Amino acid sequence: LNTAFARLDWAATPRHRVTLRHTYSDWLNPNSLTDRDLAVRESFGTAFSRENQTLLSVKSSLGAGVDNDLRLAYTRRTLQNREDTRIPRGWVQVRSTVPDGSGGTRTTAAQTLQFGGMRTTPEWQTDAGLQLVDVARFERGNATYTVGTDNSLNDLAMYVSIETNGRFIFPSLAALEAGRPSEYYRLVPVNSPE
């Protein structure tokens, strides 16, 4: 996690204070993405995020009991889910014979073990937002009145891939060893994100 913060305050006049603030952050979370409880290392993905936010605000005292707060903010965020390996993934049904505690054995229920690539990567999302907020406060006697507006304009772009590397399903370890899957899936994107 990396974060940087900068702030500049300026008293433009005795009644108007200007603040410019910028925040940058990014983080990388290796091997954090998996879609099954039982998965080997090559089935994981890595999450990465980067965010920039800039805020300009003007706080004004417009007279006895009248204040105004005007803010303009711009935010840009990118989130990427990256695969650790670019190979098809596989599922294999695994059953184990284990001691039952009374001198005998029992066969466990089938568990699905995932190996190979990651189902939900690559994936990315970018969003940019512009926000304008203006709030005025009026004090009259024992009452305070607040009026304002909050306006946002957002742009979102996203690429989601599911099973683009393919998936083999093996009903047993013997079928996996023989290289004979019972099913194969592959989804192909119609439009490229680039």
Side-chain angles (χ1 to χ4, degrees), residues 86 88 162-167 184-189:
R86 185 91 171 143
I162 302 291
E163 299 291 1
T164 56
N165 293 329
R167 176 176 50 158
Y184 176 74
Y185 301 89
R186 183 166 188 177
L187 302 178
V188 179

Side-chain angles (χ1 to χ4, degrees), residues 21-54:
R21 183 178 77 196
H22 184 80
T23 305
Y24 167 86
S25 66
D26 68 32
W27 55 264
L28 180 67
N29 195 358
N31 309 320
S32 60
L33 303 172
T34 185
D35 60 350
R36 298 200 58 81
D37 291 335
L38 291 172
V40 295
R41 164 67 183 84
E42 64 194 15
S43 300
F44 283 70
T46 295
F48 174 75
S49 175
R50 175 177 289 140
E51 183 174 335
N52 281 286
Q53 183 181 52
T54 303

Side-chain angles (χ1 to χ4, degrees), residues 95-129:
R95 289 176 181 81
S96 299
T97 301
V98 296
D100 66 3
S102 64
T105 60
R106 67 177 177 86
T107 302
T108 63
Q111 296 287 322
T112 301
L113 174 68
Q114 176 178 304
F115 62 93
M118 175 58 162
R119 174 179 69 94
T120 59
T121 58
E123 180 176 283
W124 59 260
Q125 173 181 327
T126 58
D127 60 88

Side-chain angles (χ1 to χ4, degrees), residues 134-156:
D134 192 11
V135 177
R137 290 175 195 79
F138 306 91
E139 292 181 11
R140 296 292 180 257
N142 291 334
T144 300
Y145 303 94
T146 303
V147 296
T149 183
D150 187 341
N151 305 282
S152 295
L153 183 62
N154 296 295
D155 179 45
L156 175 66

Side-chain angles (χ1 to χ4, degrees), residues 15-17 58-63 66-70 135:
R15 298 182 137 201
H16 305 287
R17 189 175 79 225
V58 179
K59 294 185 179 186
S60 303
S61 177
L62 302 174
V66 180
D67 294 316
N68 192 69
D69 187 2
L70 177 66
V135 177

